[in-house]
PDB file of all heavy atoms in Angstrom:
ATOM      1  N   ASP A  30      22.405  -7.560  10.390  1.00 95.00           N
ATOM      2  CA  ASP A  30      22.368  -8.627   9.381  1.00 95.00           C
ATOM      3  C   ASP A  30      21.346  -9.700   9.762  1.00 95.00           C
ATOM      4  O   ASP A  30      20.596 -10.190   8.906  1.00 95.00           O
ATOM      5  CB  ASP A  30      23.751  -9.264   9.223  1.00 95.00           C
ATOM      6  CG  ASP A  30      24.771  -8.309   8.612  1.00 95.00           C
ATOM      7  OD1 ASP A  30      24.337  -7.321   7.983  1.00 95.00           O
ATOM      8  OD2 ASP A  30      25.984  -8.543   8.783  1.00 95.00           O
ATOM      9  N   ALA A  31      21.321 -10.061  11.024  1.00 95.00           N
ATOM     10  CA  ALA A  31      20.368 -11.076  11.479  1.00 95.00           C
ATOM     11  C   ALA A  31      18.927 -10.597  11.305  1.00 95.00           C
ATOM     12  O   ALA A  31      18.049 -11.358  10.868  1.00 95.00           O
ATOM     13  CB  ALA A  31      20.634 -11.430  12.942  1.00 95.00           C
ATOM     14  N   ALA A  32      18.687  -9.335  11.612  1.00 94.00           N
ATOM     15  CA  ALA A  32      17.337  -8.781  11.460  1.00 94.00           C
ATOM     16  C   ALA A  32      16.938  -8.694   9.991  1.00 94.00           C
ATOM     17  O   ALA A  32      15.794  -8.985   9.625  1.00 94.00           O
ATOM     18  CB  ALA A  32      17.265  -7.399  12.106  1.00 94.00           C
ATOM     19  N   ALA A  33      17.873  -8.290   9.131  1.00 94.00           N
ATOM     20  CA  ALA A  33      17.583  -8.166   7.697  1.00 94.00           C
ATOM     21  C   ALA A  33      17.255  -9.527   7.082  1.00 94.00           C
ATOM     22  O   ALA A  33      16.470  -9.613   6.126  1.00 94.00           O
ATOM     23  CB  ALA A  33      18.763  -7.537   6.974  1.00 94.00           C
ATOM     24  N   ASN A  34      17.852 -10.589   7.616  1.00 94.00           N
ATOM     25  CA  ASN A  34      17.637 -11.935   7.075  1.00 94.00           C
ATOM     26  C   ASN A  34      16.435 -12.646   7.684  1.00 94.00           C
ATOM     27  O   ASN A  34      16.066 -13.738   7.238  1.00 94.00           O
ATOM     28  CB  ASN A  34      18.891 -12.790   7.281  1.00 94.00           C
ATOM     29  CG  ASN A  34      20.062 -12.306   6.442  1.00 94.00           C
ATOM     30  OD1 ASN A  34      19.865 -11.812   5.338  1.00 94.00           O
ATOM     31  ND2 ASN A  34      21.273 -12.420   6.976  1.00 94.00           N
ATOM     32  N   GLN A  35      15.824 -12.035   8.697  1.00 92.00           N
ATOM     33  CA  GLN A  35      14.665 -12.657   9.323  1.00 92.00           C
ATOM     34  C   GLN A  35      13.446 -12.539   8.408  1.00 92.00           C
ATOM     35  O   GLN A  35      13.117 -11.458   7.921  1.00 92.00           O
ATOM     36  CB  GLN A  35      14.361 -11.982  10.666  1.00 92.00           C
ATOM     37  CG  GLN A  35      13.148 -12.560  11.392  1.00 92.00           C
ATOM     38  CD  GLN A  35      12.833 -11.797  12.678  1.00 92.00           C
ATOM     39  OE1 GLN A  35      13.724 -11.248  13.324  1.00 92.00           O
ATOM     40  NE2 GLN A  35      11.558 -11.736  13.029  1.00 92.00           N
ATOM     41  N   GLU A  36      12.792 -13.653   8.144  1.00 89.00           N
ATOM     42  CA  GLU A  36      11.590 -13.628   7.306  1.00 89.00           C
ATOM     43  C   GLU A  36      10.419 -13.106   8.127  1.00 89.00           C
ATOM     44  O   GLU A  36      10.144 -13.589   9.230  1.00 89.00           O
ATOM     45  CB  GLU A  36      11.274 -15.026   6.774  1.00 89.00           C
ATOM     46  CG  GLU A  36      10.119 -15.038   5.786  1.00 89.00           C
ATOM     47  CD  GLU A  36       9.918 -16.393   5.133  1.00 89.00           C
ATOM     48  OE1 GLU A  36      10.893 -17.171   5.077  1.00 89.00           O
ATOM     49  OE2 GLU A  36       8.783 -16.670   4.691  1.00 89.00           O
ATOM     50  N   LEU A  37       9.726 -12.112   7.579  1.00 88.00           N
ATOM     51  CA  LEU A  37       8.618 -11.486   8.291  1.00 88.00           C
ATOM     52  C   LEU A  37       7.292 -12.082   7.834  1.00 88.00           C
ATOM     53  O   LEU A  37       7.022 -12.169   6.638  1.00 88.00           O
ATOM     54  CB  LEU A  37       8.615  -9.974   8.047  1.00 88.00           C
ATOM     55  CG  LEU A  37       9.858  -9.210   8.539  1.00 88.00           C
ATOM     56  CD1 LEU A  37       9.729  -7.731   8.218  1.00 88.00           C
ATOM     57  CD2 LEU A  37      10.070  -9.416  10.029  1.00 88.00           C
ATOM     58  N   ALA A  38       6.475 -12.486   8.779  1.00 85.00           N
ATOM     59  CA  ALA A  38       5.142 -13.006   8.488  1.00 85.00           C
ATOM     60  C   ALA A  38       4.125 -11.943   8.892  1.00 85.00           C
ATOM     61  O   ALA A  38       4.078 -11.528  10.050  1.00 85.00           O
ATOM     62  CB  ALA A  38       4.892 -14.303   9.253  1.00 85.00           C
ATOM     63  N   TYR A  39       3.327 -11.499   7.934  1.00 85.00           N
ATOM     64  CA  TYR A  39       2.370 -10.428   8.201  1.00 85.00           C
ATOM     65  C   TYR A  39       1.012 -11.008   8.575  1.00 85.00           C
ATOM     66  O   TYR A  39       0.601 -12.064   8.081  1.00 85.00           O
ATOM     67  CB  TYR A  39       2.240  -9.518   6.976  1.00 85.00           C
ATOM     68  CG  TYR A  39       3.535  -8.842   6.627  1.00 85.00           C
ATOM     69  CD1 TYR A  39       4.301  -9.284   5.550  1.00 85.00           C
ATOM     70  CD2 TYR A  39       4.014  -7.784   7.389  1.00 85.00           C
ATOM     71  CE1 TYR A  39       5.504  -8.684   5.237  1.00 85.00           C
ATOM     72  CE2 TYR A  39       5.213  -7.170   7.087  1.00 85.00           C
ATOM     73  CZ  TYR A  39       5.956  -7.619   6.005  1.00 85.00           C
ATOM     74  OH  TYR A  39       7.139  -7.021   5.706  1.00 85.00           O
ATOM     75  N   LYS A  40       0.317 -10.276   9.433  1.00 79.00           N
ATOM     76  CA  LYS A  40      -0.959 -10.776   9.955  1.00 79.00           C
ATOM     77  C   LYS A  40      -2.112 -10.540   8.992  1.00 79.00           C
ATOM     78  O   LYS A  40      -2.785 -11.469   8.560  1.00 79.00           O
ATOM     79  CB  LYS A  40      -1.267 -10.100  11.295  1.00 79.00           C
ATOM     80  CG  LYS A  40      -2.627 -10.496  11.873  1.00 79.00           C
ATOM     81  CD  LYS A  40      -3.026  -9.576  13.016  1.00 79.00           C
ATOM     82  CE  LYS A  40      -4.456  -9.865  13.470  1.00 79.00           C
ATOM     83  NZ  LYS A  40      -4.934  -8.886  14.447  1.00 79.00           N
ATOM     84  N   ASN A  41      -2.342  -9.299   8.652  1.00 62.00           N
ATOM     85  CA  ASN A  41      -3.560  -8.950   7.918  1.00 62.00           C
ATOM     86  C   ASN A  41      -3.237  -8.315   6.579  1.00 62.00           C
ATOM     87  O   ASN A  41      -2.487  -7.348   6.511  1.00 62.00           O
ATOM     88  CB  ASN A  41      -4.416  -7.955   8.723  1.00 62.00           C
ATOM     89  CG  ASN A  41      -5.001  -8.584   9.965  1.00 62.00           C
ATOM     90  OD1 ASN A  41      -5.354  -9.754   9.960  1.00 62.00           O
ATOM     91  ND2 ASN A  41      -5.090  -7.808  11.033  1.00 62.00           N
ATOM     92  N   ALA A  42      -3.799  -8.855   5.534  1.00 62.00           N
ATOM     93  CA  ALA A  42      -3.802  -8.161   4.251  1.00 62.00           C
ATOM     94  C   ALA A  42      -5.111  -7.376   4.152  1.00 62.00           C
ATOM     95  O   ALA A  42      -6.106  -7.744   4.755  1.00 62.00           O
ATOM     96  CB  ALA A  42      -3.703  -9.161   3.105  1.00 62.00           C
ATOM     97  N   PRO A  43      -5.133  -6.279   3.413  1.00 64.00           N
ATOM     98  CA  PRO A  43      -6.327  -5.444   3.368  1.00 64.00           C
ATOM     99  C   PRO A  43      -7.496  -6.127   2.664  1.00 64.00           C
ATOM    100  O   PRO A  43      -7.319  -6.963   1.796  1.00 64.00           O
ATOM    101  CB  PRO A  43      -5.856  -4.205   2.581  1.00 64.00           C
ATOM    102  CG  PRO A  43      -4.680  -4.675   1.790  1.00 64.00           C
ATOM    103  CD  PRO A  43      -4.023  -5.728   2.627  1.00 64.00           C
ATOM    104  N   ASN A  44      -8.734  -5.761   3.071  1.00 72.00           N
ATOM    105  CA  ASN A  44      -9.941  -6.235   2.401  1.00 72.00           C
ATOM    106  C   ASN A  44     -10.114  -5.408   1.137  1.00 72.00           C
ATOM    107  O   ASN A  44     -10.444  -4.229   1.198  1.00 72.00           O
ATOM    108  CB  ASN A  44     -11.144  -6.074   3.329  1.00 72.00           C
ATOM    109  CG  ASN A  44     -12.423  -6.581   2.692  1.00 72.00           C
ATOM    110  OD1 ASN A  44     -12.371  -7.339   1.729  1.00 72.00           O
ATOM    111  ND2 ASN A  44     -13.550  -6.151   3.218  1.00 72.00           N
ATOM    112  N   ILE A  45      -9.935  -6.055  -0.017  1.00 86.00           N
ATOM    113  CA  ILE A  45      -9.740  -5.281  -1.227  1.00 86.00           C
ATOM    114  C   ILE A  45     -10.101  -6.107  -2.445  1.00 86.00           C
ATOM    115  O   ILE A  45      -9.911  -7.326  -2.470  1.00 86.00           O
ATOM    116  CB  ILE A  45      -8.252  -4.821  -1.280  1.00 86.00           C
ATOM    117  CG1 ILE A  45      -7.967  -3.908  -2.445  1.00 86.00           C
ATOM    118  CG2 ILE A  45      -7.319  -6.010  -1.311  1.00 86.00           C
ATOM    119  CD1 ILE A  45      -6.559  -3.330  -2.395  1.00 86.00           C
ATOM    120  N   LYS A  46     -10.637  -5.443  -3.460  1.00 91.00           N
ATOM    121  CA  LYS A  46     -10.874  -6.067  -4.760  1.00 91.00           C
ATOM    122  C   LYS A  46      -9.880  -5.495  -5.758  1.00 91.00           C
ATOM    123  O   LYS A  46      -9.536  -4.316  -5.689  1.00 91.00           O
ATOM    124  CB  LYS A  46     -12.308  -5.794  -5.222  1.00 91.00           C
ATOM    125  CG  LYS A  46     -13.367  -6.427  -4.341  1.00 91.00           C
ATOM    126  CD  LYS A  46     -14.762  -6.049  -4.808  1.00 91.00           C
ATOM    127  CE  LYS A  46     -15.822  -6.658  -3.892  1.00 91.00           C
ATOM    128  NZ  LYS A  46     -17.194  -6.239  -4.284  1.00 91.00           N
ATOM    129  N   ALA A  47      -9.425  -6.334  -6.706  1.00 94.00           N
ATOM    130  CA  ALA A  47      -8.408  -5.917  -7.684  1.00 94.00           C
ATOM    131  C   ALA A  47      -7.210  -5.290  -6.970  1.00 94.00           C
ATOM    132  O   ALA A  47      -6.845  -4.142  -7.238  1.00 94.00           O
ATOM    133  CB  ALA A  47      -9.003  -4.949  -8.700  1.00 94.00           C
ATOM    134  N   PRO A  48      -6.601  -6.014  -6.029  1.00 92.00           N
ATOM    135  CA  PRO A  48      -5.610  -5.396  -5.128  1.00 92.00           C
ATOM    136  C   PRO A  48      -4.400  -4.789  -5.830  1.00 92.00           C
ATOM    137  O   PRO A  48      -3.968  -3.698  -5.450  1.00 92.00           O
ATOM    138  CB  PRO A  48      -5.208  -6.558  -4.206  1.00 92.00           C
ATOM    139  CG  PRO A  48      -5.616  -7.800  -4.916  1.00 92.00           C
ATOM    140  CD  PRO A  48      -6.815  -7.445  -5.728  1.00 92.00           C
ATOM    141  N   HIS A  49      -3.836  -5.480  -6.828  1.00 95.00           N
ATOM    142  CA  HIS A  49      -2.661  -4.905  -7.484  1.00 95.00           C
ATOM    143  C   HIS A  49      -3.005  -3.576  -8.161  1.00 95.00           C
ATOM    144  O   HIS A  49      -2.237  -2.610  -8.099  1.00 95.00           O
ATOM    145  CB  HIS A  49      -2.101  -5.883  -8.524  1.00 95.00           C
ATOM    146  CG  HIS A  49      -1.384  -7.051  -7.930  1.00 95.00           C
ATOM    147  ND1 HIS A  49      -1.892  -8.320  -7.931  1.00 95.00           N
ATOM    148  CD2 HIS A  49      -0.196  -7.136  -7.292  1.00 95.00           C
ATOM    149  CE1 HIS A  49      -1.046  -9.137  -7.344  1.00 95.00           C
ATOM    150  NE2 HIS A  49      -0.015  -8.450  -6.935  1.00 95.00           N
ATOM    151  N   PHE A  50      -4.167  -3.530  -8.789  1.00 96.00           N
ATOM    152  CA  PHE A  50      -4.583  -2.301  -9.456  1.00 96.00           C
ATOM    153  C   PHE A  50      -4.850  -1.196  -8.447  1.00 96.00           C
ATOM    154  O   PHE A  50      -4.442  -0.040  -8.649  1.00 96.00           O
ATOM    155  CB  PHE A  50      -5.839  -2.564 -10.284  1.00 96.00           C
ATOM    156  CG  PHE A  50      -6.403  -1.332 -10.931  1.00 96.00           C
ATOM    157  CD1 PHE A  50      -5.807  -0.783 -12.045  1.00 96.00           C
ATOM    158  CD2 PHE A  50      -7.541  -0.724 -10.410  1.00 96.00           C
ATOM    159  CE1 PHE A  50      -6.321   0.363 -12.640  1.00 96.00           C
ATOM    160  CE2 PHE A  50      -8.067   0.418 -10.996  1.00 96.00           C
ATOM    161  CZ  PHE A  50      -7.458   0.960 -12.117  1.00 96.00           C
ATOM    162  N   VAL A  51      -5.529  -1.523  -7.350  1.00 95.00           N
ATOM    163  CA  VAL A  51      -5.853  -0.505  -6.345  1.00 95.00           C
ATOM    164  C   VAL A  51      -4.581   0.096  -5.753  1.00 95.00           C
ATOM    165  O   VAL A  51      -4.486   1.313  -5.558  1.00 95.00           O
ATOM    166  CB  VAL A  51      -6.746  -1.103  -5.244  1.00 95.00           C
ATOM    167  CG1 VAL A  51      -6.811  -0.183  -4.038  1.00 95.00           C
ATOM    168  CG2 VAL A  51      -8.152  -1.348  -5.782  1.00 95.00           C
ATOM    169  N   MET A  52      -3.592  -0.742  -5.469  1.00 92.00           N
ATOM    170  CA  MET A  52      -2.336  -0.222  -4.923  1.00 92.00           C
ATOM    171  C   MET A  52      -1.592   0.618  -5.958  1.00 92.00           C
ATOM    172  O   MET A  52      -0.928   1.606  -5.622  1.00 92.00           O
ATOM    173  CB  MET A  52      -1.461  -1.366  -4.435  1.00 92.00           C
ATOM    174  CG  MET A  52      -2.040  -2.083  -3.229  1.00 92.00           C
ATOM    175  SD  MET A  52      -2.368  -0.926  -1.859  1.00 92.00           S
ATOM    176  CE  MET A  52      -3.268  -1.987  -0.734  1.00 92.00           C
ATOM    177  N   TYR A  53      -1.715   0.244  -7.220  1.00 95.00           N
ATOM    178  CA  TYR A  53      -1.149   1.032  -8.321  1.00 95.00           C
ATOM    179  C   TYR A  53      -1.815   2.407  -8.361  1.00 95.00           C
ATOM    180  O   TYR A  53      -1.153   3.450  -8.474  1.00 95.00           O
ATOM    181  CB  TYR A  53      -1.380   0.255  -9.616  1.00 95.00           C
ATOM    182  CG  TYR A  53      -0.931   0.919 -10.899  1.00 95.00           C
ATOM    183  CD1 TYR A  53       0.375   0.779 -11.353  1.00 95.00           C
ATOM    184  CD2 TYR A  53      -1.819   1.646 -11.678  1.00 95.00           C
ATOM    185  CE1 TYR A  53       0.784   1.365 -12.553  1.00 95.00           C
ATOM    186  CE2 TYR A  53      -1.429   2.236 -12.873  1.00 95.00           C
ATOM    187  CZ  TYR A  53      -0.126   2.084 -13.305  1.00 95.00           C
ATOM    188  OH  TYR A  53       0.269   2.659 -14.492  1.00 95.00           O
ATOM    189  N   VAL A  54      -3.139   2.428  -8.226  1.00 96.00           N
ATOM    190  CA  VAL A  54      -3.893   3.688  -8.228  1.00 96.00           C
ATOM    191  C   VAL A  54      -3.573   4.512  -6.990  1.00 96.00           C
ATOM    192  O   VAL A  54      -3.393   5.733  -7.069  1.00 96.00           O
ATOM    193  CB  VAL A  54      -5.407   3.403  -8.306  1.00 96.00           C
ATOM    194  CG1 VAL A  54      -6.221   4.655  -7.989  1.00 96.00           C
ATOM    195  CG2 VAL A  54      -5.776   2.890  -9.681  1.00 96.00           C
ATOM    196  N   LYS A  55      -3.484   3.860  -5.852  1.00 92.00           N
ATOM    197  CA  LYS A  55      -3.213   4.590  -4.617  1.00 92.00           C
ATOM    198  C   LYS A  55      -1.883   5.324  -4.701  1.00 92.00           C
ATOM    199  O   LYS A  55      -1.771   6.489  -4.288  1.00 92.00           O
ATOM    200  CB  LYS A  55      -3.213   3.653  -3.414  1.00 92.00           C
ATOM    201  CG  LYS A  55      -3.056   4.401  -2.102  1.00 92.00           C
ATOM    202  CD  LYS A  55      -2.999   3.477  -0.899  1.00 92.00           C
ATOM    203  CE  LYS A  55      -2.786   4.281   0.382  1.00 92.00           C
ATOM    204  NZ  LYS A  55      -2.566   3.420   1.554  1.00 92.00           N
ATOM    205  N   GLN A  56      -0.866   4.668  -5.259  1.00 92.00           N
ATOM    206  CA  GLN A  56       0.425   5.329  -5.388  1.00 92.00           C
ATOM    207  C   GLN A  56       0.326   6.527  -6.323  1.00 92.00           C
ATOM    208  O   GLN A  56       0.926   7.585  -6.077  1.00 92.00           O
ATOM    209  CB  GLN A  56       1.482   4.345  -5.911  1.00 92.00           C
ATOM    210  CG  GLN A  56       2.894   4.913  -5.912  1.00 92.00           C
ATOM    211  CD  GLN A  56       3.359   5.332  -4.534  1.00 92.00           C
ATOM    212  OE1 GLN A  56       3.371   4.530  -3.605  1.00 92.00           O
ATOM    213  NE2 GLN A  56       3.721   6.594  -4.383  1.00 92.00           N
ATOM    214  N   GLU A  57      -0.456   6.392  -7.394  1.00 95.00           N
ATOM    215  CA  GLU A  57      -0.643   7.521  -8.303  1.00 95.00           C
ATOM    216  C   GLU A  57      -1.359   8.675  -7.598  1.00 95.00           C
ATOM    217  O   GLU A  57      -1.019   9.844  -7.788  1.00 95.00           O
ATOM    218  CB  GLU A  57      -1.442   7.070  -9.530  1.00 95.00           C
ATOM    219  CG  GLU A  57      -1.567   8.141 -10.595  1.00 95.00           C
ATOM    220  CD  GLU A  57      -2.210   7.641 -11.875  1.00 95.00           C
ATOM    221  OE1 GLU A  57      -2.099   6.435 -12.167  1.00 95.00           O
ATOM    222  OE2 GLU A  57      -2.822   8.471 -12.580  1.00 95.00           O
ATOM    223  N   LEU A  58      -2.343   8.357  -6.768  1.00 94.00           N
ATOM    224  CA  LEU A  58      -3.048   9.388  -6.009  1.00 94.00           C
ATOM    225  C   LEU A  58      -2.119  10.097  -5.036  1.00 94.00           C
ATOM    226  O   LEU A  58      -2.153  11.330  -4.905  1.00 94.00           O
ATOM    227  CB  LEU A  58      -4.218   8.769  -5.244  1.00 94.00           C
ATOM    228  CG  LEU A  58      -5.411   8.277  -6.071  1.00 94.00           C
ATOM    229  CD1 LEU A  58      -6.349   7.456  -5.199  1.00 94.00           C
ATOM    230  CD2 LEU A  58      -6.151   9.447  -6.704  1.00 94.00           C
ATOM    231  N   VAL A  59      -1.290   9.328  -4.334  1.00 90.00           N
ATOM    232  CA  VAL A  59      -0.347   9.913  -3.380  1.00 90.00           C
ATOM    233  C   VAL A  59       0.642  10.815  -4.098  1.00 90.00           C
ATOM    234  O   VAL A  59       0.964  11.918  -3.628  1.00 90.00           O
ATOM    235  CB  VAL A  59       0.382   8.800  -2.598  1.00 90.00           C
ATOM    236  CG1 VAL A  59       1.556   9.377  -1.807  1.00 90.00           C
ATOM    237  CG2 VAL A  59      -0.577   8.098  -1.647  1.00 90.00           C
ATOM    238  N   ASP A  60       1.126  10.387  -5.260  1.00 91.00           N
ATOM    239  CA  ASP A  60       2.056  11.219  -6.033  1.00 91.00           C
ATOM    240  C   ASP A  60       1.401  12.522  -6.467  1.00 91.00           C
ATOM    241  O   ASP A  60       2.054  13.562  -6.547  1.00 91.00           O
ATOM    242  CB  ASP A  60       2.542  10.457  -7.268  1.00 91.00           C
ATOM    243  CG  ASP A  60       3.451   9.286  -6.924  1.00 91.00           C
ATOM    244  OD1 ASP A  60       3.972   9.262  -5.791  1.00 91.00           O
ATOM    245  OD2 ASP A  60       3.634   8.394  -7.780  1.00 91.00           O
ATOM    246  N   ARG A  61       0.112  12.463  -6.748  1.00 92.00           N
ATOM    247  CA  ARG A  61      -0.595  13.644  -7.258  1.00 92.00           C
ATOM    248  C   ARG A  61      -1.094  14.561  -6.143  1.00 92.00           C
ATOM    249  O   ARG A  61      -1.000  15.789  -6.239  1.00 92.00           O
ATOM    250  CB  ARG A  61      -1.775  13.197  -8.132  1.00 92.00           C
ATOM    251  CG  ARG A  61      -2.489  14.329  -8.848  1.00 92.00           C
ATOM    252  CD  ARG A  61      -3.686  13.774  -9.625  1.00 92.00           C
ATOM    253  NE  ARG A  61      -3.281  12.904 -10.700  1.00 92.00           N
ATOM    254  CZ  ARG A  61      -2.991  13.313 -11.938  1.00 92.00           C
ATOM    255  NH1 ARG A  61      -3.066  14.593 -12.234  1.00 92.00           N
ATOM    256  NH2 ARG A  61      -2.633  12.442 -12.860  1.00 92.00           N
ATOM    257  N   PHE A  62      -1.640  13.974  -5.065  1.00 90.00           N
ATOM    258  CA  PHE A  62      -2.317  14.779  -4.045  1.00 90.00           C
ATOM    259  C   PHE A  62      -1.651  14.760  -2.672  1.00 90.00           C
ATOM    260  O   PHE A  62      -2.020  15.543  -1.809  1.00 90.00           O
ATOM    261  CB  PHE A  62      -3.769  14.302  -3.879  1.00 90.00           C
ATOM    262  CG  PHE A  62      -4.595  14.417  -5.127  1.00 90.00           C
ATOM    263  CD1 PHE A  62      -5.016  13.279  -5.797  1.00 90.00           C
ATOM    264  CD2 PHE A  62      -4.934  15.651  -5.631  1.00 90.00           C
ATOM    265  CE1 PHE A  62      -5.779  13.371  -6.951  1.00 90.00           C
ATOM    266  CE2 PHE A  62      -5.698  15.766  -6.786  1.00 90.00           C
ATOM    267  CZ  PHE A  62      -6.116  14.619  -7.444  1.00 90.00           C
ATOM    268  N   GLY A  63      -0.710  13.847  -2.446  1.00 86.00           N
ATOM    269  CA  GLY A  63      -0.066  13.754  -1.142  1.00 86.00           C
ATOM    270  C   GLY A  63      -0.723  12.718  -0.246  1.00 86.00           C
ATOM    271  O   GLY A  63      -1.925  12.452  -0.343  1.00 86.00           O
ATOM    272  N   GLU A  64       0.075  12.148   0.649  1.00 81.00           N
ATOM    273  CA  GLU A  64      -0.377  11.059   1.514  1.00 81.00           C
ATOM    274  C   GLU A  64      -1.535  11.486   2.416  1.00 81.00           C
ATOM    275  O   GLU A  64      -2.517  10.762   2.581  1.00 81.00           O
ATOM    276  CB  GLU A  64       0.798  10.592   2.380  1.00 81.00           C
ATOM    277  CG  GLU A  64       0.548   9.299   3.110  1.00 81.00           C
ATOM    278  CD  GLU A  64       0.976   8.085   2.311  1.00 81.00           C
ATOM    279  OE1 GLU A  64       2.007   8.154   1.626  1.00 81.00           O
ATOM    280  OE2 GLU A  64       0.266   7.076   2.391  1.00 81.00           O
ATOM    281  N   ALA A  65      -1.453  12.680   2.999  1.00 77.00           N
ATOM    282  CA  ALA A  65      -2.454  13.101   3.985  1.00 77.00           C
ATOM    283  C   ALA A  65      -3.841  13.209   3.363  1.00 77.00           C
ATOM    284  O   ALA A  65      -4.829  12.735   3.939  1.00 77.00           O
ATOM    285  CB  ALA A  65      -2.044  14.427   4.607  1.00 77.00           C
ATOM    286  N   LEU A  66      -3.943  13.837   2.209  1.00 84.00           N
ATOM    287  CA  LEU A  66      -5.249  14.011   1.574  1.00 84.00           C
ATOM    288  C   LEU A  66      -5.827  12.668   1.135  1.00 84.00           C
ATOM    289  O   LEU A  66      -7.028  12.420   1.276  1.00 84.00           O
ATOM    290  CB  LEU A  66      -5.133  14.951   0.374  1.00 84.00           C
ATOM    291  CG  LEU A  66      -6.456  15.317  -0.316  1.00 84.00           C
ATOM    292  CD1 LEU A  66      -7.410  15.985   0.664  1.00 84.00           C
ATOM    293  CD2 LEU A  66      -6.201  16.207  -1.519  1.00 84.00           C
ATOM    294  N   VAL A  67      -4.968  11.785   0.625  1.00 86.00           N
ATOM    295  CA  VAL A  67      -5.442  10.479   0.165  1.00 86.00           C
ATOM    296  C   VAL A  67      -5.918   9.626   1.337  1.00 86.00           C
ATOM    297  O   VAL A  67      -6.946   8.947   1.264  1.00 86.00           O
ATOM    298  CB  VAL A  67      -4.336   9.742  -0.625  1.00 86.00           C
ATOM    299  CG1 VAL A  67      -4.752   8.318  -0.961  1.00 86.00           C
ATOM    300  CG2 VAL A  67      -4.007  10.509  -1.905  1.00 86.00           C
ATOM    301  N   GLU A  68      -5.178   9.661   2.448  1.00 78.00           N
ATOM    302  CA  GLU A  68      -5.509   8.809   3.586  1.00 78.00           C
ATOM    303  C   GLU A  68      -6.618   9.383   4.460  1.00 78.00           C
ATOM    304  O   GLU A  68      -7.289   8.648   5.177  1.00 78.00           O
ATOM    305  CB  GLU A  68      -4.258   8.597   4.450  1.00 78.00           C
ATOM    306  CG  GLU A  68      -3.155   7.814   3.748  1.00 78.00           C
ATOM    307  CD  GLU A  68      -3.089   6.374   4.213  1.00 78.00           C
ATOM    308  OE1 GLU A  68      -3.443   6.113   5.364  1.00 78.00           O
ATOM    309  OE2 GLU A  68      -2.682   5.516   3.416  1.00 78.00           O
ATOM    310  N   ARG A  69      -6.849  10.705   4.375  1.00 75.00           N
ATOM    311  CA  ARG A  69      -7.752  11.319   5.348  1.00 75.00           C
ATOM    312  C   ARG A  69      -8.778  12.252   4.734  1.00 75.00           C
ATOM    313  O   ARG A  69      -9.649  12.755   5.434  1.00 75.00           O
ATOM    314  CB  ARG A  69      -6.928  12.124   6.362  1.00 75.00           C
ATOM    315  CG  ARG A  69      -5.775  11.369   6.964  1.00 75.00           C
ATOM    316  CD  ARG A  69      -4.911  12.224   7.869  1.00 75.00           C
ATOM    317  NE  ARG A  69      -5.591  12.596   9.079  1.00 75.00           N
ATOM    318  CZ  ARG A  69      -5.031  13.291  10.066  1.00 75.00           C
ATOM    319  NH1 ARG A  69      -3.776  13.695   9.950  1.00 75.00           N
ATOM    320  NH2 ARG A  69      -5.702  13.581  11.147  1.00 75.00           N
TER     321      ARG A  69
END
């Protein structure tokens, strides 16, 4: 419970343009082609 309630501060956000759209597209790519092919 203590860990779940701890607020997490992240260091780096990705260098990206149109970030919400890109993440939307990335998820569609992963659904279609799989994580390994998309990432590598």
Side-chain angles (χ1 to χ4, degrees):
D30 293 340
N34 292 327
Q35 179 184 330
E36 186 173 336
L37 298 179
Y39 298 104
K40 176 193 173 187
N41 292 325
N44 181 18
I45 185 173
K46 295 177 182 177
H49 286 108
F50 176 76
V51 166
M52 293 304 171
Y53 177 87
V54 167
K55 185 182 178 187
Q56 187 59 57
E57 186 173 333
L58 290 169
V59 169
D60 291 342
R61 187 183 294 272
F62 299 111
E64 192 90 38
L66 185 59
V67 173
E68 295 257 331
R69 310 175 69 177

